[in-house]
Amino acid sequence: MKLVAATAVILIWSCLPATAQQRAAALYAQRCAQCHDSGNADSRVPSRAALQAKSFDEVVGAITTGAMASFAQGLTGDERAAIASLVTGKAASHASTENAGQCAPSEAGFPQPTDGPGWNGWGADLNNSRFQPAATAGLTSDEVPRLRLKWAFGFPNTSTAFAQPTVVGGLLFVGGGDRKVHALDAKSGCTRWVFPTEAAVRTAISFAPLDNGQPAIFFGDLFANVYAVNAVTGALIWKSRADDHLAARITGAPVFHSGVVYVGVSSIEEATGSRPTYQCCTFRGSVVALKAETGAQIWKSYTIPEVPHPTKTNAIGTQLFGPAGASVWSAPTIDVQRQALYVATSNSYADPATDTSDAVLAFDLATGRMLWHQQATPRDSFVVACFGADQTNCPDSRGPDHDFGQSPILVSLRNGQRALVIGQKSGVVHALDPDHDGKILWQTRIGQGGPLGGTEWGSAADQDRIYVANSDVRFLRDGTRRLNSSEGGGLFGLDLATGKVTMQVAPVACGDRPQCSPALSAAITVIPGVVFSGGVSGFLRAYATDDARLLWEIDTARDYTTINGVAARGGAMDGPGPIVVDHMLYVNSGYAQWSGLPGNVLLAFEVGNP
């Protein structure tokens, strides 16, 4: 493969004219500092140190069409560029690797049958189990210790690899912070096509053949757009905006079932609502059902039925609104037997707190009517300002920020009973009865909980247990050292019928590694006999499910030579988990959001010789 010649221009902040420096510093202080310089280690906003690890293009994208666009309203392009240079010390990269790592022109279509081994969407099945059967995994517990790196793929112009790949028919689909979706050959890593998106894509990608014969993939971006793209050609089929709120975004994978795409909508109003001049808050989480063929909306149901209304004014006279919040961060779970859909929600953002936040909700698949809800933590109204120096917009009913970041898992017990099992940021794992309006079956605590604590992005379940990873992450805001190497972490297996802990792995300390924590925040994955868990430390580990012995580990936080010629490094593992398909394991590495180690690499492992 021949690399195209590339150049990169890095503009050091000190080289900007003094007037530009002063203007950028003033704009940052006015619009950004309250959250990013809050000095709180538990804030859900990246610190100033974490921003320095990002690329210029990444920050410009975030304040133009991405997560922070509402903060930068009214700014010129030059002003946005000046802020990005201020916080990163860099300018736009002009490096070009567009033609590097391309597959041969003769390679077209799917390399394998689409009904063969694959991992589709977030949870691998409609139940969101994150369990891969032996026949599909093609990987045994005896082979896991022999996993070796086969290839690495670098995401350009980003410091975060926050999307989980999907593999179908021998093709791998993955989104990135570079505001592109990449289609790769799953075995070799060469690039089939690249699709540009309006904003970064952190959702997993779902595949389904359409009635008109097109093989389609579905995903969402951080501007609340939902896309359908031809899986073979990369051509856009349709794009639909799921929510018009400026803070709306899609983080959970869309789910396809019976001709319909179901997607949950989340938001960052928890952060934008922290400014004293902001009329906090008006966003409500929702689930949207779209026709898979056209993207036309069939129904939209809000997680908070009541429309936000004026409540009171804050200390500086800004009108406040509520109720608000109850975002849906994760992929919906489909119950074919009951023709129902389940989602888990975030905290409330404002007073009054709602009884559908920090809850599991059930909706009718056909109509979107809410069937029942079961709340785990009441009166949890919270915005980022509750941790900052200026708490003007912090709700009176300030809560602990114990929302759900993961999908409910629908399981069938050996006695025939069914259950929805899910971990929460409170550190508690819950089992609910989907056939009796979400009645609580058991609850088990495995962590202290907190804004970045408990169980975060995803648990996994086989026939006997739910496996949950404990985060309880603690970072200093300067991002240079951990608070305590013994804080956070631990992996647990709980009996599905009783909630009793039957397997446990102790936290693994970081030693002297900087920007590290033993916390396990990333989603975990199970194959028969093995559970995989990536850590904020950058280590990916595999444990035997029978006795919790360590089978394999690899430190992903290093530099890589990539198949596409992009300079790449691994880092903290958070958000997406590994997927196992057809004798291979794929995982992203690099997550700088909470002062963890940045990174921009997708890694593919295969079984090496004994």
Side-chain angles (χ1 to χ4, degrees), residues 6 38 101 111 160 185-186 195 213 216 221 225 227 239 245 318 327 354 389 415 464 560 578 596:
S38 67
T160 297
D185 182 281
F195 177 84
D221 70 14
N225 294 306
Y227 300 80
K239 182 173 76 169
H245 197 286
T318 304
S327 294
T354 175
N415 64 3
D464 298 305
Y560 295 90

Side-chain angles (χ1 to χ4, degrees), residues 20 27 113 123 147-148 150 174 188 209 259 310 459 489 596:
L27 289 170
L147 284 170
R148 302 291 185 269
K150 183 174 184 181
V174 64
S188 71
S459 301

Side-chain angles (χ1 to χ4, degrees), residues 398-556:
R398 169 177 173 163
D401 190 21
H402 281 174
D403 51 311
F404 287 101
Q406 59 188 259
S407 302
I409 302 173
L410 181 61
V411 298
S412 295
L413 308 183
R414 291 189 179 275
N415 64 3
Q417 185 179 19
R418 304 193 315 152
L420 284 168
V421 288
I422 186 170
Q424 187 184 358
K425 284 169 53 180
S426 62
V428 176
V429 183
H430 309 264
L432 310 178
D433 187 343
D435 300 313
H436 293 86
D437 295 340
K439 175 185 174 182
I440 297 172
L441 299 174
W442 53 257
Q443 295 173 310
T444 301
R445 176 170 294 280
I446 55 91
Q448 296 178 5
L452 294 176
T455 60
E456 293 277 330
W457 289 110
S459 301
D462 57 21
Q463 195 168 10
D464 298 305
R465 295 175 178 150
I466 176 174
Y467 300 88
V468 294
N470 183 42
S471 175
D472 285 353
V473 65
R474 301 290 186 269
F475 275 120
L476 289 182
R477 284 296 287 181
D478 62 12
T480 59
R481 57 191 175 96
R482 60 195 181 282
L483 288 176
N484 188 320
S485 62
S486 66
E487 290 190 56
L491 185 65
F492 302 81
L494 284 66
D495 182 83
L496 286 174
T498 65
K500 180 181 178 181
V501 175
T502 58
M503 171 201 166
Q504 184 171 348
V505 176
V508 180
C510 287
D512 295 326
R513 173 168 295 196
Q515 288 179 258
C516 188
S517 165
L520 302 179
S521 298
I524 60 179
T525 299
V526 175
I527 65 173
V530 186
V531 55
F532 296 90
S533 177
V536 174
S537 63
F539 276 84
L540 175 63
R541 296 185 172 97
Y543 297 93
T545 57
D546 56 358
D547 60 5
R549 70 188 185 281
L550 180 66
L551 298 175
W552 174 74
E553 68 176 358
I554 186 165
D555 182 3
T556 69

Side-chain angles (χ1 to χ4, degrees), residues 13-302:
W13 169 244
S14 59
C15 295
L16 284 177
T19 52
Q21 294 183 33
Q22 294 167 357
R23 176 61 174 157
L27 289 170
Y28 178 86
Q30 179 186 25
R31 299 180 182 237
C32 314
Q34 179 185 350
C35 294
H36 295 293
D37 296 351
S38 67
N40 188 283
D42 282 332
S43 173
R44 296 182 66 183
V45 176
S47 68
R48 185 70 178 269
L51 292 177
Q52 290 175 353
K54 295 182 178 295
S55 71
F56 173 92
D57 293 340
E58 196 172 7
V59 173
V60 167
I63 61 179
T64 302
T65 60
M68 297 291 104
S70 63
F71 282 85
Q73 279 186 297
L75 297 185
T76 66
D78 288 343
E79 288 171 331
R80 290 188 175 93
I83 291 174
S85 289
L86 169 66
V87 300
T88 65
K90 308 166 190 144
S93 170
H94 299 286
S96 175
T97 56
E98 286 187 7
N99 296 319
Q102 293 289 314
C103 298
S106 59
E107 298 181 74
F110 288 98
Q112 300 173 13
T114 57
D115 59 356
W119 182 293
N120 193 354
W122 174 255
D125 52 39
L126 294 177
N127 298 335
N128 277 316
S129 71
R130 299 193 60 82
F131 172 78
Q132 188 71 295
T136 308
L139 182 66
T140 67
S141 59
D142 291 337
E143 293 172 323
V144 166
R146 294 192 282 118
L147 284 170
R148 302 291 185 269
L149 182 66
K150 183 174 184 181
W151 54 261
F153 175 87
F155 297 97
N157 303 318
T158 184
S159 63
T160 297
F162 54 20
Q164 181 176 284
T166 280
V167 173
V168 174
L171 293 183
L172 181 149
F173 307 98
V174 64
D178 58 339
R179 289 185 286 174
K180 293 180 175 65
V181 167
H182 304 264
L184 313 177
D185 182 281
K187 292 296 185 182
S188 71
C190 67
T191 298
R192 286 292 191 90
W193 52 257
V194 177
F195 177 84
T197 55
E198 192 173 343
V201 173
R202 68 169 298 161
T203 72
I205 291 171
S206 297
F207 167 85
L210 300 181
D211 289 343
N212 61 16
Q214 287 196 82
I217 58 170
F218 307 95
F219 54 90
D221 70 14
L222 297 188
F223 207 49
N225 294 306
V226 185
Y227 300 80
V229 170
N230 186 294
V232 171
T233 67
L236 178 67
I237 300 173
W238 54 257
K239 182 173 76 169
S240 178
R241 187 79 183 273
D243 197 292
D244 291 329
H245 197 286
L246 286 175
R249 52 172 31 189
I250 296 172
T251 53
V255 175
F256 174 91
H257 174 64
S258 192
V260 181
V261 175
Y262 300 94
V263 60
V265 184
S266 62
S267 87
I268 57 162
E269 198 178 28
E270 192 175 38
T272 60
S274 295
R275 288 177 293 165
T277 56
Y278 184 90
Q279 295 185 339
C280 182
C281 280
T282 56
F283 173 85
R284 293 180 291 164
S286 63
V287 180
V288 182
L290 305 172
K291 291 183 179 179
E293 298 282 339
T294 64
Q297 182 174 302
I298 301 171
W299 55 257
K300 179 174 184 176
S301 293
Y302 289 98

